[in-house]
Amino acid sequence: MIITDDFLPLPVPESLTATYLVPVSTPPEVTPAQAMAALGDRVTELVHDLARQMLDSPLMTVDLRPVAEFPQLPPDLLTAFGATDEQLGRLANANNLVVVQASYRPGWPPAHEWAARAVGAAMAEAVGGDLVDVFGLRFLDPASALRSLPDPEGRVRLVDWVLVPYSTAEGGLWFTTKGLRRFGLLELQAQEVPTHLTRGWGAVMTGVARRLLRTWTDGLSGIEVPAFVQLPVVTTVTDHDIAVAYGYPRQSDAAGPAALRLELDPATDPEADSFLTLLPPIGHPGPASRYFAGVCTTLFGAPRSDVRYDRSDDAMARAVATARAGLSAIRERFLGGSLVGDLQLLVKYGLATAEGPEFVWAGVDSWQRPEQILCTSACDAVADPTVRIGAAVVVETADVVDWALLDRGNVIEGGWTQAVLDAGQRG
């Protein structure tokens, strides 16, 4: 194996295992083979063949075990990944678990995952119960789990197999993937992601995961499983990668590519995970947060600043008045913790110039003091070279002329001045 500064060699595990659970109170009256046969054409012939071959070999086991004999799944993590009280209650009240396990070599197709999920979902449907993905610590709706399996051309949506959770950390948000280890690849992470890029950066991580997983499985396509697969240190991501990962129509790569550097972050605790950390390319000036914001701009575009020097327009004046009248209430909602999930709060404020104010958008990070807001700029200013996407900015509340509440990038409340501008452009 040749090691260069351009590639990162990653060890390949000897085998991979998938585990799915079906909580039950009484033993099932159907066999796994009968449950699979009952699915008919709801899954492809490829999936039927994989499940049948696995069930007829030592590579898959389907056992009925008392709940007490299986390691307890942490309820807090199950809840964090979407478990409902009803699902947790059924798990707690179950006497037994149908445990479906399958093992296979790394590569494509991931036969262990496809076969185990298919058999687990079939058994869950047969008993009218839940399906638990042990790797993802998630309850899966059996019908949705079946839809996540490959189509007649062997394609899957990566978002059905790889999650991108995030949490608040010093300097911004900490993003990770959860699911690449299903395929033997290390999980990704990114730190110092600006808070207003929650939705966009999740898509970026998913696109990068798709690009790297393809490189990884291409390296495992030989008859013999290699000891290492080399990944490029600098990888790219395009709107095409993101579209394919989400199962959208294929894109033309017109918006990309955007480059990101990979760095191995090995775990010091043997029980913890190692990561591939996403970073700006070497030599990039400024903080990582600014570069990450630029990546999102490259792939998705960014809000433009509103350079407007004449404020005499009646419609615009009414829009500003409406927005300012709601500032106190939206601050209370922000501080009260009601803006959860994918909801993001942005404010629009004025920068002084010789000819009049230039108005720019910024994502709200903190609003402890009523008169001052700590933000991350959502766009580049024309007049002030220090105000760039991803840069930290301090906004005086008195300078705010609008605010907008976004859900997954779409304005669901506010944005009155932008509506006036858009109406003027249509006119």
Side-chain angles (χ1 to χ4, degrees):
M1 179 183 64
I2 300 175
I3 300 177
T4 71
D5 293 338
D6 297 328
F7 291 92
L8 188 65
L10 296 182
V12 179
E14 293 184 1
S15 66
L16 301 170
T17 300
T19 304
Y20 290 83
L21 309 177
V22 181
V24 294
S25 297
T26 58
E29 296 181 357
V30 298
T31 66
Q34 291 170 335
M36 281 298 303
L39 295 179
D41 61 3
R42 293 176 60 198
V43 296
T44 64
E45 193 62 32
L46 168 65
V47 173
H48 275 293
D49 288 344
L50 278 176
R52 186 163 46 247
Q53 293 169 16
M54 285 279 198
L55 285 169
D56 291 340
S57 77
L59 297 174
M60 176 179 283
T61 58
V62 182
D63 299 321
L64 183 69
R65 301 187 198 175
V67 169
E69 293 184 5
F70 198 88
Q72 183 181 15
L73 300 178
D76 55 338
L77 290 180
L78 288 170
T79 300
F81 286 107
T84 65
D85 291 339
E86 292 77 12
Q87 290 170 329
L88 293 174
R90 289 193 292 269
L91 176 61
N93 293 328
N95 299 316
N96 301 288
L97 296 171
V98 177
V99 182
V100 181
Q101 286 188 316
S103 298
Y104 201 65
R105 54 165 279 178
W108 199 265
H112 60 298
E113 281 287 352
W114 290 358
R117 181 172 288 197
V119 172
M123 292 296 293
E125 281 208 342
V127 301
D130 299 310
L131 178 65
V132 182
D133 171 14
V134 173
F135 177 88
L137 288 175
R138 282 201 300 165
F139 280 84
L140 300 177
D141 170 64
S144 298
L146 292 173
R147 288 193 296 269
S148 73
L149 294 167
D151 66 13
E153 297 182 25
R155 299 172 303 190
V156 296
R157 297 191 327 154
L158 190 61
V159 291
D160 292 328
W161 299 87
V162 177
L163 302 177
V164 185
Y166 64 89
S167 59
T168 303
E170 184 177 354
L173 298 177
W174 175 39
F175 277 77
T176 61
T177 59
K178 186 171 181 60
L180 287 177
R181 282 197 298 112
R182 299 180 190 273
F183 313 105
L185 184 58
L186 295 182
E187 303 290 357
L188 304 177
Q189 70 171 357
Q191 299 170 312
E192 300 182 24
V193 178
T195 54
H196 71 279
L197 298 179
T198 304
R199 177 67 174 175
W201 193 255
V204 171
M205 293 276 286
T206 305
V208 174
R210 183 261 174 185
R211 173 64 66 96
L212 293 178
L213 182 58
R214 182 169 182 175
T215 302
W216 174 257
T217 54
D218 284 349
L220 298 171
S221 59
I223 297 177
E224 298 292 332
V225 177
F228 293 86
V229 168
Q230 297 200 83
L231 297 183
V233 168
V234 177
T235 188
T236 58
V237 59
T238 67
D239 54 357
H240 170 79
D241 293 313
I242 295 170
V244 173
Y246 280 85
Y248 297 152
R250 292 173 179 259
Q251 302 295 311
S252 62
D253 287 351
L260 289 159
R261 177 166 58 92
L262 297 177
E263 184 175 279
L264 178 61
D265 186 8
T268 55
D269 182 347
E271 300 297 321
D273 292 332
S274 298
F275 285 97
L276 290 173
T277 301
L278 297 179
L279 297 165
I282 292 176
H284 170 73
S289 59
R290 185 178 303 172
Y291 185 82
F292 294 157
V295 169
C296 288
T297 301
T298 297
L299 294 170
F300 313 119
R304 296 182 179 180
S305 68
D306 170 17
V307 183
R308 181 171 49 82
Y309 303 128
D310 180 5
R311 300 185 60 178
S312 60
D313 181 84
D314 289 342
M316 185 61 74
R318 288 193 299 270
V320 172
T322 301
R324 290 191 58 78
L327 278 176
S328 296
I330 194 63
R331 175 176 179 266
E332 290 180 4
R333 291 163 61 188
F334 177 81
L335 295 176
S338 63
L339 308 184
V340 296
D342 291 316
L343 293 180
Q344 303 165 49
L345 177 60
L346 274 70
V347 293
K348 190 183 200 180
Y349 66 102
L351 291 171
T353 75
E355 299 176 283
E358 175 188 357
F359 297 99
V360 294
W361 287 97
V364 176
D365 299 326
S366 175
W367 201 346
Q368 296 301 317
R369 298 169 57 188
E371 70 277 9
Q372 199 172 73
I373 315 170
L374 304 183
C375 300
T376 300
S377 183
C379 59
D380 292 342
V382 174
D384 189 342
T386 67
V387 178
R388 291 291 178 264
I389 295 173
V393 291
V394 178
V395 177
E396 300 298 326
T397 305
D399 295 332
V400 174
V401 298
D402 200 357
W403 56 268
L405 194 60
L406 276 63
D407 183 4
R408 302 184 179 183
N410 299 311
V411 176
I412 62 171
E413 189 176 347
W416 293 275
T417 64
Q418 196 63 46
V420 172
L421 290 171
D422 292 343
Q425 290 174 353
R426 289 193 297 269

